[in-house]
Amino acid sequence: MNEFEVIRKISALMPPAPPEVLVPLGDDCAVIEIGDRTWVAASDMLVSHHHFEDWATPEDVGYKAIAVNASDVAAMGGTPKFVLTSGGAPGAETALRCLEGVVEACERFGVYPLGGDTTRADALTVDVAILGQLATQPVLRSGAIPGNLLAVTGELGASAAGLLALEQGMPGPERLIRRCLRPEPRLEAGRVAARLGATAMIDLSDGLATDAHHVCDQSGVGCIVDLDLLPIKADTRDLARSLGHDPEIFAATGGEDYELLICAPGPVLNSLSNNVEVSLTVIGQITDGDVVFECTGEPVGGLTGWNHFT
């Protein structure tokens, strides 16, 4: 089973949601109503030897654990507010260093750390639960409509290139390594996209090849993605090619970009591009057919991103 087959089986075990739960399991965040406010809630875990190796410092791991959760909130159009952080580490010093990274990220993203739990463990593991606040209706994965355009924020493939550099023990490039270890969630772009009327969003954690399928599956639509349009910077292209990878395929499958994949009508994307500092690149459109990836005008099959259980 892959991760999303596991999630479907878990969903079948869940009791009916109470009225306060507006969106249950299955999106980037759950959506809950408390009093007169609407909140989003999510959690993500980082585990040593699965998500990272010794090339990541405990501070990097703590920082990234907050960043990836904030990215889930961004994908709903929300603002992250509070986190609970729990984890295990081989020693107290490692746990403290990890929490230093947690606090650093919280300060950067405007999140308050409420506390959590620590324990001794054979390998460093960090789990973060986040609460974010919504000022608009949440943008779900299930709202894409045929005729919508597909766009991504920022750049693709840089984090995967940084990971390759770390795994190969390369002394640089520092920019790509930082993109892997210290991702920057697109909080402003998510909020503005929600306000302007984006129909669907997802954060690109598992890779475009996988995450585009998630949006299309939940929306009951298809899409055409032109890999030649992917925003890939020169240093990412050079590193990918140097290690025998096609840059476009590499960027579509690498994962951990923590950019936003946004579905919206063209005028909404034009307005979004004019209202945020991060770049926005149209890479395809939503259709009523299948999910199709094309490169140089030819379909490319078999593209998949990150799978937690393989």
Side-chain angles (χ1 to χ4, degrees):
M1 289 188 291
N2 63 34
E3 178 192 11
F4 291 92
E5 290 170 332
V6 172
I7 291 173
R8 282 193 290 270
K9 289 184 178 293
I10 293 172
S11 297
L13 300 174
M14 300 291 283
E20 298 87 353
V21 178
L22 306 182
V23 178
L25 179 72
D27 215 295
D28 284 273
C29 298
V31 183
I32 55 177
E33 196 171 60
I34 302 175
D36 60 352
R37 294 189 174 184
T38 306
W39 298 83
V40 292
S43 67
D44 259 301
M45 185 184 302
L46 297 181
V47 180
S48 178
H49 306 307
H50 182 61
H51 296 102
F52 60 91
E53 298 293 341
D54 292 343
W55 35 254
T57 68
E59 292 88 348
D60 289 332
V61 175
Y63 186 102
K64 188 170 184 176
I66 298 298
V68 303
N69 276 274
S71 185
D72 281 331
V73 174
M76 307 295 286
T79 300
K81 289 291 187 180
F82 307 105
V83 292
L84 289 163
T85 304
S86 296
E93 180 182 352
T94 300
L96 286 171
R97 289 178 61 192
C98 181
L99 290 171
E100 287 175 7
V102 165
V103 172
E104 180 184 352
C106 285
E107 290 175 348
R108 177 164 179 79
F109 305 133
V111 185
Y112 187 78
L114 293 172
D117 188 30
T118 59
T119 187
R120 181 175 175 82
D122 292 336
L124 179 59
T125 301
V126 186
D127 183 61
V128 172
I130 194 165
L131 277 176
Q133 197 168 345
L134 291 176
T136 64
Q137 289 295 312
V139 184
L140 307 180
R141 299 177 179 181
S142 56
I145 301 168
N148 284 169
L149 297 180
L150 271 174
V152 293
T153 59
E155 61 176 306
L156 302 185
S159 176
L163 176 60
L164 276 182
L166 289 165
E167 290 177 336
Q168 297 291 326
M170 301 168 66
E174 289 301 320
R175 189 189 80 84
L176 299 178
I177 289 173
R178 184 169 181 84
R179 286 280 299 179
C180 176
L181 297 177
R182 301 273 177 139
E184 295 295 307
R186 300 304 187 183
L187 298 171
E188 179 195 16
R191 287 190 293 264
V192 177
R195 176 169 55 81
L196 292 175
T199 58
M201 277 197 297
I202 189 172
D203 84 317
L204 293 176
S205 55
D206 294 331
L208 174 66
T210 291
D211 290 325
H213 274 280
H214 297 332
V215 170
C216 290
D217 288 347
Q218 295 204 20
S219 296
V221 297
C223 69
I224 297 175
V225 175
D226 186 345
L227 299 183
D228 294 313
L229 299 178
L230 300 188
I232 308 169
K233 291 195 174 180
D235 53 354
T236 299
R237 289 184 180 276
D238 291 344
L239 191 144
R241 286 195 183 107
S242 73
L243 296 174
H245 296 277
D246 176 275
E248 283 72 28
I249 303 298
F250 181 75
T253 59
E256 292 210 312
D257 293 300
Y258 298 105
E259 301 289 355
L260 296 177
L261 178 65
I262 303 171
C263 305
V268 170
L269 293 178
N270 289 336
S271 183
L272 175 62
S273 184
N274 292 329
N275 280 276
V276 293
E277 293 182 1
V278 66
S279 63
L280 191 69
T281 304
V282 174
I283 62 169
Q285 63 181 9
I286 298 296
T287 70
D288 56 7
D290 298 323
V291 177
V292 178
F293 294 93
E294 295 181 345
C295 192
T296 62
E298 296 295 328
V300 180
L303 298 187
T304 59
W306 173 258
N307 184 348
H308 290 270
F309 287 95
T310 59

